[in-house]
Each structure stands twice: as C-alpha cells, then as structure tokens.
Amino acid sequence: MKLLTYDEAATALKNGEIIAYPTEGVYGFAADAMNAKAVEAVLSLKDRSASKGFIVMAASLEKLSPLIKPLTNEQRETLLGSLRGGSRYTWIVPAQDHCPEYLRGQFTTLAVRVTNHPDALALCDLMPVGVVSTSANLHKEAPLESPEAIMALFGDRIAGVMVGNVGGLSSPTRIVHLESGEVIRA
C-alpha cells in the first residue's frame, strides 16, 4: 500500500494522477480541478456520468475565484459562516462562464466546498485552485472505509492514499443552493 504525505499527494495531483484522501466524513478521491484528463480519469474510475459535475474543494474562497462568479458580502458570510459548528456544507454557486464543463456537468452552477478539515485543508492549500472531490467508491456503492480497502480495489489506478484521519461527520456534507437556499442533499 502506498501512503502519501501531503506534499507527495499534491505532487501526484499536479502530475495528473488521482489520489484517495481523508475528508470530513469519508475517504474521497481527488484530482486537480484544473486538469481535464485527470477529472475524466475519476469519472472512469468511478463509472460515473460526466453530466453530474463534481464538487470542487478548496482551502479558501479566493482560490475558487477563477471558477465562480463574485459573491455578495451576504453570500460570502453565509458560505464562510458554514465552516463553524458541527455541520459541513457544499454550496451550489453561479459558475464563471468559462468554468470547465467537466467540473460543472450539465449545469451553469458549480458545487464548491471550502474545507476546514485539517488533512483536506493541508492538501487543498498546496493546490493552485482546488481538487475535485468525490467519495472513494464505485458509483452507487458504499464509500470504502480504509486505505487498505481502497488500495485493494483501486490500487493500480491511483497514486496512493494520503495520510490523515477521516473527520467525524456521520453523513455526507449538506448540499445547499446558495442563492435560493434550496437544500439539494440534507
């Protein structure tokens, strides 16, 4: 099994590879959000439709600025305020017109998450923009719960599993449309 340091994981991503890494509630797969071939490889790895789009996780709202339209002060407060407390949110926000379709899928919006999970944050901080983030599993299967299980199923198709610990969330992050407040996933 190949365990990766934060720096090794970021280098693998920057080289177009896929890694598994601990997030707020599960192990996830990550690819450099700005590398279309790497993102397409995640689709293939998971047997997932490109029309769904991805969550782009970043270390800060500023790092997401090449992909999303400017937010109002109130929207920024809402999004950044969600980093406090026990729940974690993924927000649906208006995408820049030039935001790649491979990230947003069939939508004019983009799902984004600014993370404060220590390991995911350390990784995202090393990336120019952020990473696509999706659970480490096959489409419609339960997320895999250990580096050993991930490597047993995907070992030859990913660079490795980044060291760290999965956070304490017992369910996936909530997904909320920032402009309308509509809850997409509770």
Side-chain angles (χ1 to χ4, degrees):
M1 178 173 65
K2 176 110 169 124
L3 289 177
L4 306 170
T5 66
Y6 298 154
D7 287 332
E8 290 169 333
T11 298
L13 293 174
K14 291 173 185 175
N15 288 334
E17 296 179 271
I18 300 167
I19 65 156
Y21 72 117
T23 69
E24 294 88 350
V26 298
Y27 278 94
F29 286 129
D32 180 353
M34 303 313 290
N35 184 324
K37 286 187 180 198
V39 175
E40 289 169 13
V42 173
L43 290 171
S44 175
L45 185 71
K46 288 190 55 111
D47 193 24
R48 175 183 163 148
S49 168
S51 67
K52 291 178 69 170
F54 278 100
I55 295 169
V56 177
M57 186 186 300
S60 68
L61 198 51
E62 289 71 29
K63 284 196 173 210
L64 292 167
S65 63
L67 301 175
I68 64 173
K69 291 187 176 177
L71 303 177
T72 66
N73 287 339
E74 183 179 335
Q75 289 170 330
R76 288 177 63 80
E77 286 274 330
T78 298
L79 193 147
L80 295 174
S82 70
L83 291 172
R84 296 183 287 277
S87 296
R88 296 295 175 260
Y89 290 81
T90 295
W91 295 96
I92 306 296
V93 300
Q96 290 278 9
D97 294 339
H98 61 270
C99 178
E101 187 175 337
Y102 66 83
L103 292 177
R104 57 182 172 72
Q106 64 186 352
F107 307 101
T108 59
T109 55
L110 182 66
V112 299
R113 183 161 73 247
V114 176
T115 187
N116 63 359
H117 175 274
D119 299 312
L121 178 61
L123 175 66
C124 290
D125 202 36
L126 295 170
M127 299 304 294
V129 174
V131 299
V132 296
S133 184
T134 184
S135 55
N137 61 330
L138 291 171
H139 184 60
K140 297 195 177 190
E141 297 288 328
L144 298 169
E145 296 184 0
S146 70
E148 294 81 12
I150 293 165
M151 291 306 291
L153 189 58
F154 296 103
D156 61 337
R157 298 177 68 192
I158 65 173
V161 180
M162 190 179 86
V163 296
N165 297 302
V166 172
L169 281 188
S170 59
S171 60
T173 57
R174 289 181 179 198
I175 300 178
V176 180
H177 196 286
L178 185 61
E179 290 183 329
S180 71
E182 177 187 2
V183 177
I184 310 298
R185 179 175 74 193

